[in-house]
């Protein structure tokens, strides 16, 4: 795993239809996990609502939602993983 840590856990309950829709969406985009798919959908939803997110320089394997301290410009990070 990369430097990105996710100390918070969010548990959600889905219907079979919601889970099937999530899995279908995930597989067509070759996402590595359900969690990554949920984070990507959350990110897209927040962007659609006008919430400012990360600068878009993260690699696809990061699938982060917001720009955290490990990726901030202020800390000298460039948003790219080594």
């Amino acid at each position: 795993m990369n430097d990105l840590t996710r100390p918070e856990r969010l548990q959600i309950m889905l219907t079979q239809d919601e889970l099937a829709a999530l899995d279908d969406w995930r597989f067509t985009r070759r996402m590595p996990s359900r969690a990554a798919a949920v984070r990507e959908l959350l990110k897209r939803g927040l962007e659609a609502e006008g919430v400012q997110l990360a600068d878009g320089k993260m690699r696809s394997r990061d699938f982060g939602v917001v720009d955290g301290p490990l990726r901030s410009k202020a800390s000298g990070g460039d948003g790219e993983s080594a």
Side-chain angles (χ1 to χ4, degrees), residues 40-57:
E40 181 64 18
L41 289 168
L42 177 60
K43 181 180 112 180
R44 290 177 184 211
L46 290 171
E47 286 174 341
E49 292 292 319
V51 176
Q52 187 174 4
L53 301 175
D55 62 6
K57 293 185 178 182

Side-chain angles (χ1 to χ4, degrees), residues 1-21:
M1 189 168 155
N2 58 23
D3 300 355
L4 187 62
T5 60
R6 294 189 173 99
E8 298 298 325
R9 178 180 292 259
L10 174 66
Q11 185 174 351
I12 62 171
M13 302 295 287
L14 301 175
T15 66
Q16 287 296 319
D17 289 341
E18 292 168 335
L19 188 59

Side-chain angles (χ1 to χ4, degrees), residues 20-37:
L22 176 65
D23 283 340
D24 289 346
W25 188 88
R26 169 189 165 207
F27 290 130
T28 60
R29 286 156 183 82
R30 297 178 182 246
M31 308 278 300
S33 65
R34 285 178 175 162

